[in-house]
Amino acid sequence: MDLPFNEFRATVFVVGHHVFDFLSVLLNTTLLYLIIFHTSKSFRSYSVILGCLAISEDVLGFTAWFSMARCVPVGHTLIYQFHGICRKVSPQFCLDVHAIVAHCSAYNYFIMPVSFWYRHHILYHGPPRPSKVARILFFLYIPSFLAMIFLSVSTSESNLIRNILRTQKPSSAYPDDPNIVAVAGFEKFYQKLTLGMLITVCLPIFPGYCSAIYCRNRILKKLNDNTRMSSSTIRVQRNLIKALTIQAILPVLHMSQCSVYVWKQLELPFSDRMPYFEEMFVLQSALSAITPCITMYYVRPYRRKIKEFLGLRKPKRSMNIHMDTSNIDKISTKNTDEIV
C-alpha cells in the first residue's frame, strides 16, 4: 500500500536531496583530489577504479541535485516527477538530466565487481596494468551509456503523462502545478527503447553480484590458506575486502525498492500491497555521499591527508618524508600496491 504524497513528504524529499547531493559532490570531489594528487605509483592501477567510481558518484550527485526525481509507476506507464531546478527549463530537459543520474547509478553497479576482480587478480596474478583496468572499465561503461540514450529519446508527450498521473493516481500528483514540478515519462514502459533501457540497466546487476561473491570467497580462501604473506599484508587485504563488502551491501535498500518498482510496473500479483518508496532516488543520493567516506577511511594515505586537513594530525616535515613503498608488503615474489 502506497502512502499519499503530500506537502510534508515533498518538503522532506527536497531537503533530503539538498543535503545528500551537496555532501555527495563535496566528498567525491575531495576524493578525486586525493586520488589525483596523493596517490603513489604503486597504488595507481587501483586508483583508476577509485577514480572512475568517484567521477560517476560526483556526476550522479550533481545531476540528482539538479533534477530531484520521483519515480511513479501507474499501470504500464512510467512517470517521473521532477522537483529540481531543471523544471525551469522543460520536462524533457529534466528527463535528459535524470538519464545521466540513471546511467551513473547503473555504472556504479558495474564497477563494484571490477573492484573485487582487482583484489582477486592481485592475490593470484599480481597487480594488473592501469591500461588494462581502464579498458575493462570503458567496456563496461558502454551499456550504461546506451541506457542513457534510450531513456532520453523514447519519452512521451508531457501533458499526456501529467493527465495520466492526475486521473489514475491523484494521491501521487501533489503538487499538481507545472510551475512547481515538471512531469515526464513513458506511456508504455514496454515500448522498444524504454524496455531496452530497463534491460540494459537491470540485467547485469545479478551476474555482477554473483561474480563479486565468487571473487570474495576466493580471496578469503587465499588469505586463510596462504602462509607466505606477512600478517600486515593479510590484515591490509582483509580491510580492503571489508571496505568493498560494505560498499556492495549498502545499495541493497535502493535495489530492493527498484525490485518493488519492477514488480508494480509489471502489475504482478499483490503489487498493490507492496510498500513502495517513490522517492527512492534520494536513497541513491545518500549512498553516493557515503561511498567516498568508506574509501577515504580505509585507504590510509587518504585518511592521513583528511586528518591533516582537519587538524587532527600534524603533517610530516619534508626531511621525514619517505617513499610510499615502505608501506608496501610483498605477496609471494610479486609487488603489490597495498598502502591501506
Side-chain angles (χ1 to χ4, degrees):
M1 183 178 65
D2 300 330
L3 297 175
F5 190 76
N6 51 32
E7 184 178 0
F8 174 75
R9 281 182 65 180
T11 302
V12 173
F13 172 66
V14 171
V15 171
H17 258 295
H18 281 303
V19 172
F20 292 129
D21 293 331
F22 170 76
L23 290 175
S24 174
V25 173
L26 175 64
L27 294 171
N28 282 291
T29 302
T30 302
L31 178 57
L32 270 176
Y33 166 80
L34 294 172
I35 291 171
I36 294 171
F37 296 104
H38 297 283
T39 297
S40 69
K41 291 183 179 179
S42 59
F43 201 60
R44 188 169 295 167
S45 57
Y46 189 56
S47 71
V48 174
I49 300 176
L50 294 180
C52 280
L53 182 60
I55 292 172
S56 180
E57 297 282 17
D58 209 349
V59 174
L60 187 153
F62 180 77
T63 49
W65 200 356
F66 208 68
S67 59
M68 298 188 186
R70 289 174 56 238
C71 181
V72 186
V74 180
H76 290 159
T77 303
L78 172 56
I79 300 175
Y80 291 106
Q81 189 185 67
F82 301 99
H83 294 246
I85 196 68
C86 68
R87 70 185 188 278
K88 300 291 186 181
V89 182
S90 69
Q92 181 60 49
F93 178 71
C94 284
L95 199 58
D96 293 340
V97 174
H98 180 68
I100 300 175
V101 177
H103 110 287
C104 287
S105 177
Y107 188 48
N108 293 345
Y109 286 113
F110 283 105
I111 294 176
M112 182 268 300
V114 177
S115 299
F116 281 94
W117 164 83
Y118 181 88
R119 303 260 60 88
H120 180 273
H121 200 286
I122 283 285
L123 288 175
Y124 284 89
H125 309 290
R129 293 180 177 273
S131 57
K132 179 179 181 180
V133 177
R135 286 195 300 270
I136 292 173
L137 291 171
F138 175 77
F139 175 76
L140 293 176
Y141 177 72
I142 294 174
S144 302
F145 180 78
L146 293 176
M148 178 178 65
I149 301 301
F150 292 158
L151 185 61
S152 298
V153 301
S154 58
T155 54
S156 302
E157 204 276 323
S158 177
N159 289 331
L160 171 64
I161 299 300
R162 184 180 288 275
N163 287 332
I164 292 175
L165 178 62
R166 181 185 297 137
T167 56
Q168 297 188 28
K169 199 170 184 182
S171 61
S172 296
Y174 178 89
D176 190 13
D177 185 345
N179 295 319
I180 300 177
V181 295
V183 175
F186 313 92
E187 184 179 6
K188 302 296 181 182
F189 82 93
Y190 48 77
Q191 59 194 31
K192 291 182 179 179
L193 290 178
T194 308
L195 189 61
M197 178 272 295
L198 293 174
I199 292 175
T200 304
V201 170
C202 300
L203 193 61
I205 293 178
F206 179 74
Y209 265 84
C210 289
S211 62
I213 293 171
Y214 170 77
C215 289
R216 181 180 182 274
N217 291 337
R218 292 259 298 171
I219 292 168
L220 294 177
K221 184 178 184 300
K222 181 76 171 180
L223 294 176
N224 291 332
D225 297 342
N226 198 300
T227 58
R228 303 180 64 182
M229 285 185 284
S230 69
S231 59
S232 174
T233 301
I234 293 176
R235 176 179 54 81
V236 163
Q237 292 285 347
R238 290 190 181 278
N239 283 339
L240 283 167
I241 293 304
K242 183 188 295 184
L244 290 176
T245 303
I246 293 172
Q247 289 177 330
I249 291 174
L250 283 176
V252 168
L253 180 59
H254 179 256
M255 289 174 59
S256 67
Q257 286 301 299
C258 292
S259 301
V260 175
Y261 152 73
V262 172
W263 195 276
K264 294 179 78 68
Q265 192 77 85
L266 295 174
E267 296 186 308
L268 297 176
F270 309 108
S271 59
D272 57 333
R273 301 180 184 179
M274 300 185 72
Y276 174 64
F277 189 58
E278 294 173 351
E279 303 94 314
M280 64 177 178
F281 284 105
V282 78
L283 299 176
Q284 187 67 53
S285 296
L287 296 174
S288 182
I290 295 172
T291 299
C293 296
I294 297 172
T295 300
M296 288 187 285
Y297 176 78
Y298 279 99
V299 180
R300 187 181 299 169
Y302 301 164
R303 185 170 71 240
R304 286 174 176 172
K305 274 295 174 184
I306 294 295
K307 286 184 176 180
E308 290 176 8
F309 178 76
L310 296 176
L312 302 176
R313 176 188 175 90
K314 293 183 179 180
K316 292 182 178 180
R317 297 179 181 177
S318 57
M319 67 177 63
N320 292 329
I321 294 178
H322 53 79
M323 294 179 63
D324 285 326
T325 52
S326 63
N327 291 323
I328 304 175
D329 285 318
K330 292 183 178 181
I331 299 177
S332 190
T333 60
K334 300 178 181 179
N335 284 334
T336 178
D337 61 353
E338 313 305 348
I339 54 174
V340 181

